[in-house]
Amino acid sequence: MSRIPAIDPSTATGTIKTLLDGVQKGLGVTPNLFRVAAQSTPVLEALTSMFGAASKGHLNAKTREAIALTVSEIDACDYCLSAHSLLGKR
C-alpha cells in the first residue's frame, strides 16, 4: 500500500510552517496526522480550524482526550491510542 509522505516541520515554509508551528506550540508535538495533512494547505487549514473550534467548546482538554482514548480503543486503532495516550499525559 502506498503512503502519503509526512512533511518535516523543520523544512516546511510559508503557511504550512506557520500552521505546523502552531500545532507544535499547542500540543507540544506535531502528530503525523497534521504532518500528512500538510501536503495540502487547505486540508491542513481545515484540520487545524476544526481542532481549534473543538477546543473552544464546553469540554476541557482532559475530557476531550478521555473521549479520544475511548474511541481509539473501540476502533482498535493502535496509532490513535498511542497518540492520545501521549497527548493525555500533557
Side-chain angles (χ1 to χ4, degrees):
M1 171 173 80
S2 63
R3 295 179 184 259
I4 301 170
I7 298 294
D8 181 348
S10 67
T11 62
T13 60
T15 302
I16 295 293
K17 177 163 183 44
T18 301
L19 292 169
L20 291 177
D21 287 349
V23 170
Q24 174 69 35
K25 182 179 178 187
L27 298 178
V29 296
T30 308
N32 285 336
L33 172 65
F34 291 91
R35 294 177 60 213
V36 170
Q39 288 289 347
S40 167
T41 301
V43 170
L44 184 59
E45 287 174 337
L47 186 62
T48 56
S49 292
M50 180 188 69
F51 275 84
S55 71
K56 296 175 186 168
H58 295 288
L59 302 176
N60 62 29
K62 183 177 179 179
T63 302
R64 289 192 311 270
E65 284 306 319
I67 292 167
L69 277 168
T70 302
V71 171
S72 299
E73 180 69 33
I74 291 167
D75 288 345
C77 179
D78 292 336
Y79 172 80
C80 295
L81 275 171
S82 176
H84 289 292
S85 292
L86 174 68
L87 293 172
K89 290 177 184 176
R90 295 174 189 256

